[in-house]
Amino acid sequence: MINAYAAKEPGGKLEKFEYDPGELASHDVEIDVESCGICHSDLSMLDNEWGISEYPFVPGHEVVGKISAIGDHVTSLKVGQRVGLGWHAGYCNSCGTCESGDQNLCSNATMTIGGRHGGFADKVRAQATAVVPIPDGVDPQSAGPLFCGGITVFNPLIQFDIKPTSVVGVVGIGGLGHLALQFLNAWGCKVVAFTSSESKKKEALELGAHETLNSRDEEELKAAAGKFDLIISTVNVKLDWNLYLSTLAPKGRLHFVGATLEPLDIGAFNLIGGQRSVSGSPVGSPATIKTMLDFAALHDIAPVTETFKFDEVNEAVQRLRDGKAHYRVVLTK
């Protein structure tokens, strides 16, 4: 039996929940959970904000732990190995995107917290291909958020071949943005943090930003016209996106990793005139996650975390819900 914390209804309190996972599938592994980050996507799923949640619902898709059992056909991992598990718990491994190494874009990928139970538990199961070993040099206590928040902001650097000479802006210095600043600085980019919080400006500079801009100051944004090769938006609120587009250099890109639910109001001439692009991306493939972990180890990049014990899960969730997390919340044994 697996002991977990589950909600019985949308937005419900997480309570102790026991379930029988059945026989371990031949291509799966079982992980003894050591820690698990809490992400805004966990809250969205907990509240059924996207209309796809099933109850009882066990959150948790930023898992770190040691493999306790492997399926009969698993050869890439071994018992006792410390690994991480992120947004996806499995792929079809036969479609064109999987075969080309873009498993994160597989239309039949299995969510770790969708149609199965997640990592707010003593154990969790996943397909071996979705599990990535944690290298030396990455602190396992804080590594969990790298498997969702970290890879979400690292993936665009790989996908769009961002150069060390690029000027990159980051909108929103929170759970995603604070990691983006660190990655971009180590990548060699000139990094500008967009934030409306005076208190975060100093910390943004400490995390890797070279400059800051007030994200709600129209005059500051107008003064930055034509400056950025890439802007990564991590926020889930509506902003004046046409104003942000005007800050892009020719062939610049406004890239969304924050799930704003309101439609984007974007004028076509803002795109056409400078051959600019608007795009979005999810988490990365297992290979990209591995690259990110190696890069984080080399450059000593880590999430800024607050820790709670698993039996304090409701307090931890409420802290994130209240917007008080600094910057990521992690549950530990």
Side-chain angles (χ1 to χ4, degrees), residues 53-233:
S53 304
E54 300 174 9
Y55 300 86
F57 171 70
V58 179
H61 61 278
E62 296 181 340
V63 180
V64 171
K66 290 184 177 180
I67 293 177
S68 56
I70 61 174
D72 293 340
H73 294 163
V74 175
T75 59
S76 58
L77 300 166
K78 59 185 179 181
V79 172
Q81 194 169 12
R82 181 172 279 119
V83 296
L85 171 68
W87 183 251
H88 290 131
Y91 314 100
C92 79
N93 296 312
S94 60
C95 68
T97 54
C98 282
E99 290 178 345
S100 65
D102 291 322
Q103 293 94 331
N104 56 311
L105 304 181
C106 173
S107 60
N108 293 310
T110 303
M111 294 165 53
T112 300
I113 55 174
R116 60 194 298 136
H117 297 311
F120 287 13
D122 60 351
K123 297 178 185 294
V124 69
R125 290 183 176 182
Q127 190 183 94
T129 53
V131 174
V132 181
I134 295 178
D136 293 339
V138 172
D139 179 10
Q141 280 291 95
S142 64
L146 291 174
F147 283 84
C148 183
I151 187 57
T152 296
V153 295
F154 184 84
N155 192 44
L157 306 187
I158 300 293
Q159 297 301 317
F160 304 121
D161 192 26
I162 301 304
K163 303 294 192 295
T165 54
S166 297
V167 180
V168 183
V170 179
V171 182
I173 311 307
L176 294 174
H178 91 284
L179 285 165
L181 296 180
Q182 295 181 69
F183 281 129
L184 289 163
N185 182 287
W187 204 259
C189 300
K190 181 174 181 180
V191 188
V192 180
F194 289 82
T195 178
S196 60
S197 170
E198 287 294 327
S199 63
K200 285 188 176 180
K201 285 187 175 181
K202 180 176 182 293
E203 194 160 13
L205 295 171
E206 293 171 348
L207 286 165
H210 299 101
E211 300 174 8
T212 65
L213 284 177
N214 188 328
S215 57
R216 297 189 183 275
D217 188 321
E218 187 172 333
E219 294 306 313
E220 281 196 33
L221 294 181
K222 286 181 177 179
K227 180 174 184 175
F228 295 99
D229 300 300
L230 171 70
I231 294 176
I232 299 176
S233 174

Side-chain angles (χ1 to χ4, degrees), residues 297-326:
L298 180 64
H299 294 281
D300 196 26
I301 294 170
V304 177
T305 61
E306 300 176 345
T307 58
F308 289 77
K309 296 298 184 183
F310 273 93
D311 60 8
E312 300 173 315
V313 61
N314 287 296
E315 292 89 335
V317 167
Q318 191 60 46
R319 185 163 179 82
L320 182 60
R321 195 184 289 280
D322 292 341
K324 296 179 178 179
H326 183 250

